[in-house]
Amino acid sequence: MSGTIFLSPPDLSPLEEAYVLRAVRSGRFDPDGPEIRHFEREVAGRVGTAHALAVSSGTAALHLALLAVGAGPGTVVVVPTLTFAATANAVAYTGASPVFVDCEPASGNLDVELLPALLDRLRAAGERVAAVMTVDINGSCADYERLLPICADAGVPMVEDAAQALGATRRGRAAGSFGRVGIFSFSHNKIMTTSCGGMVVSEDADLVARCRHLSSQAREPVAHYEHRDVGYNYRLSNVLAALGRAQLRRLDQMIDRRRALRERYAKLFAAVPGARILGDGDAGSNCWLTSLVVDPDAAGWDAAQLGRHLAARDIETRPMWKPMHRQPVYAGRPAALTGAADRLFATSVSLPSGSGLAGGDADRLFTAVEEFLEGRR
């Protein structure tokens, strides 16, 4: 037994050590160091956008993206209710108000069917909709073929929260490239990490330039310190950008390993009545996290029972996010709901999915799952 098996730990190799050591030895610790510019160009190249801005976190990237599209006091932003708090919090930072929308049961992504009526209702109420946010849940892209025309018809920009989806694609197009602006997270548990960090990507040069200005304390380009806006200290460090460059070189390898784990889970649960993998069948997913959805009436057990069984064996799991409309901080906010996010929260569990999970630890994990299933036959 090698200790705790975590849900999605960092996957580092000698390559990352070499890149970081080179950055440290260069003596460049300033926020305009060469590793940052290389990292921005390389991520933009991977995603297929013309511009990118490296920042200190995915949440910072979301905040800047929303400001850049005009979110602020007196506006609302449509946000999926099934998401991490940062998505909604970034809206609140701008002074705008989130309006929550439910998810598709199969993928967990924003329910496209609800969006046109919601936008009509907001427009009729005199609300100014600054943006529609999408979240690519567990590394699977939302249904952009249907979402983009709806947003275009309504004249509302799309902000794509692809925090979990770097490397994912939909019909050959990369996650992060669909919206007017997209963002990624490089926190410690994402598909690749800079320990913390994020990226704004867009085809819009002016938008990214505005984000870059705000991320650097909004300092005007003069010799002394001059500020016309309230800015933020959201810059990524040169050393962490070097770590990101090494991780990016290994991204496809890490995606392949996570996909192999998901396929192993899918094979294991295929014969279990009432059990399914959230978003299963998406060949373009980066498989960042594998979440199991369980119908307890059909399976004879529930997701929480599996989580407790694995926890007793020092294996980490986690329920899906508690929907934002259920969070006390956002109680009473307007929402378009079907109950799908509530059901996923009640019936699902996310399983260890790290690309570094292999060998004896992987065997220990799957043996523990098999023991659980055997005990309920």
Side-chain angles (χ1 to χ4, degrees):
M1 192 167 172
S2 60
T4 303
I5 294 177
F6 292 104
L7 198 64
S8 181
D11 178 2
L12 302 177
S13 76
L15 186 67
E16 284 81 357
E17 182 179 359
Y19 270 61
V20 170
L21 184 61
R22 183 184 65 190
V24 169
R25 287 177 173 170
S26 75
R28 292 294 301 270
F29 296 94
D30 57 284
D32 294 317
E35 298 290 347
I36 293 175
R37 301 299 165 240
H38 286 304
F39 188 36
E40 290 173 345
R41 282 195 294 269
E42 289 163 2
V43 170
R46 171 73 191 222
V47 177
T49 58
H51 307 282
L53 167 67
V55 292
S56 56
S57 71
T59 308
L62 276 173
H63 186 195
L64 293 172
L66 286 165
L67 289 171
V69 299
T75 69
V76 300
V77 176
V78 175
V79 177
T81 191
L82 188 70
T83 186
F84 181 56
T87 313
N89 289 348
V91 176
Y93 297 166
T94 70
S97 296
V99 175
F100 298 113
V101 62
D102 220 316
C103 66
E104 296 174 342
S107 68
N109 285 324
L110 188 151
D111 187 337
V112 185
E113 296 291 337
L114 299 175
L115 189 58
L118 175 61
L119 291 173
D120 287 345
R121 178 155 56 92
L122 291 170
R123 188 183 300 112
E127 298 282 8
R128 288 198 294 136
V129 183
V132 170
M133 297 257 284
T134 58
V135 179
D136 299 327
I137 295 288
N138 285 1
S140 287
C141 290
D143 187 351
Y144 291 109
E145 292 77 26
R146 297 169 66 201
L147 284 165
L148 286 169
I150 293 170
C151 290
D153 289 346
V156 176
M158 178 187 292
V159 175
E160 185 183 351
D161 180 350
Q164 308 158 18
L166 183 63
T169 60
R170 184 176 177 90
R171 300 188 179 181
R173 186 170 167 183
S177 69
F178 292 94
R180 183 175 172 197
V181 54
I183 73 95
F184 298 109
S185 169
F186 307 130
S187 72
H188 67 283
N189 68 348
K190 292 300 186 292
I191 192 87
M192 60 168 262
T193 184
T194 58
S195 76
C196 55
M199 190 77 75
V200 177
V201 293
S202 179
E203 287 294 299
D204 188 332
D206 292 338
L207 184 150
V208 174
R210 177 66 176 164
C211 291
R212 189 179 299 280
H213 176 66
L214 292 174
S215 74
S216 305
Q217 301 284 20
R219 183 183 174 188
E220 296 295 324
V222 294
H224 62 278
Y225 288 103
E226 180 89 6
H227 306 271
R228 299 174 187 274
D229 298 300
V230 174
Y232 307 91
N233 185 10
Y234 280 170
R235 294 168 293 186
L236 187 69
S237 84
N238 195 54
V239 174
L240 295 185
L243 174 59
R245 293 185 68 199
Q247 287 268 280
L248 189 61
R249 286 187 60 183
R250 297 180 53 238
L251 178 60
D252 287 326
Q253 175 191 83
M254 293 191 287
I255 291 173
D256 288 344
R257 288 179 176 176
R258 288 185 187 248
R259 178 168 291 112
L261 283 175
R262 179 172 295 188
E263 290 172 352
R264 193 167 172 181
Y265 281 125
K267 185 176 180 181
L268 190 58
F269 289 108
V272 178
R276 65 180 175 90
I277 303 296
L278 186 69
D280 197 23
D282 178 4
S285 172
N286 68 2
C287 301
W288 169 62
L289 206 59
T290 293
S291 299
L292 180 72
V293 185
V294 182
D295 176 350
D297 293 333
W301 50 274
D302 62 34
Q305 287 176 301
L306 174 58
R308 288 193 293 272
H309 175 88
L310 295 178
R313 287 148 185 81
D314 210 9
I315 298 171
E316 184 184 28
T317 65
R318 189 174 301 162
M320 288 291 290
W321 296 292
K322 182 177 181 178
M324 288 298 105
H325 71 274
R326 295 289 182 192
Q327 299 289 350
V329 68
Y330 293 118
R333 299 297 180 107
L337 304 172
T338 64
D342 286 334
R343 287 191 290 276
L344 286 177
F345 172 58
T347 61
S348 64
V349 60
S350 294
L351 301 167
S353 306
S355 52
L357 183 58
D361 281 344
D363 291 342
R364 178 157 71 90
L365 164 64
F366 284 98
T367 296
V369 176
E370 288 168 348
E371 287 173 350
F372 175 83
L373 295 176
E374 188 63 33
R376 279 147 185 84
R377 288 195 175 103

